[in-house]
Every structure is written in C-alpha cells, then in structure tokens.
Amino acid sequence: MTSEVEMALPIYFSESAANQVKGLMADEDPNMKLRVYVTGGGCSGFSYGFTFDEKVNEGDTQIEKNGVTLIVDSMSLQYLVGGTVQYTSGLDGSRFFVDNPNATATCGCGSSFSI
C-alpha cells in the first residue's frame, strides 16, 4: 500500500529497488546513494542511467526508503515524474529499471525511451 507521503513524491522508489541497494551497500560505503538519470541517446531517444554516488548536488531530489536514498537531478526528474525505480531479477538478468508513464515508446531492452 502506498502512503500519502509516497503519493506526493515526484518519483517512486520501489521496495525491491531499495532492498537491492541496501544489499549492495552492505559491503560498500553506507553513504552511497542510487542516482538515476536520463541522457540523450539510445535507440528510442533518451536513455536511463544508474550509478552509485556519495554526493548530493544542489537541486537534486532525494527519496529515502528502507534506510537508503535515491537521488535524481532536476533535468532528469522532468522526464521521470510519476515513474517508479524498480529492480528485477530473472532469466534475462538482473537490473534496475524505470517504470515510466511518460514514455510513449521504449526499446526492447527497456533502457531507452521517447516522450
């Protein structure tokens, strides 16, 4: 169930993604945060990117869940509003991805999109 606080957030951080970050950070620096960003390029026009980052820049949006933090820069956030950062693990591999309601088309691998 989504809380009222979570419903007010510009982007959502799923339980599975937060737990995966927490697990990855257990052996690393606990100050690391998951940064999601959008860049130009990819087969559909824009690409999602994920990296671990210690630094929070001015204008970044921070979302905390289960003791870990997701950060998004203001330029990327405009393309991600209403989306959910997810994590999946299956036969095709494990990865973070964005379930993005703003995307009008996505590529087959789900890492690029168009608006």
Side-chain angles (χ1 to χ4, degrees):
M1 187 160 88
T2 305
S3 71
E4 286 183 31
V5 172
E6 286 180 316
M7 289 173 49
L9 297 174
I11 185 169
Y12 307 101
F13 194 16
S14 76
E15 195 83 24
S16 62
N19 288 337
Q20 182 63 23
V21 171
K22 193 173 206 169
L24 292 169
M25 285 184 1
D27 298 330
E28 300 294 326
D29 181 352
N31 295 318
M32 296 297 268
K33 299 158 183 58
L34 179 65
R35 180 179 289 279
V36 61
Y37 57 93
V38 173
T39 60
C43 51
S44 294
F46 294 100
S47 292
Y48 301 112
F50 297 92
T51 189
F52 287 98
D53 198 344
E54 289 182 344
K55 186 177 179 192
V56 177
N57 300 315
E58 187 175 333
D60 282 351
T61 296
Q62 298 182 66
I63 311 291
E64 291 193 32
K65 185 159 200 152
N66 296 353
V68 295
T69 304
L70 172 73
I71 49 179
V72 185
D73 66 89
S74 59
M75 288 298 289
S76 296
L77 187 60
Q78 65 185 328
Y79 299 108
L80 301 171
V81 169
T84 303
V85 174
Q86 304 265 15
Y87 179 79
T88 186
S89 180
L91 294 175
D92 58 347
S94 302
R95 64 185 174 98
F96 290 101
F97 69 97
V98 178
D99 184 2
N100 189 347
N102 304 303
T104 57
T106 59
C107 68
C109 66
S111 64
S112 72
F113 68 101
S114 60
I115 293 186

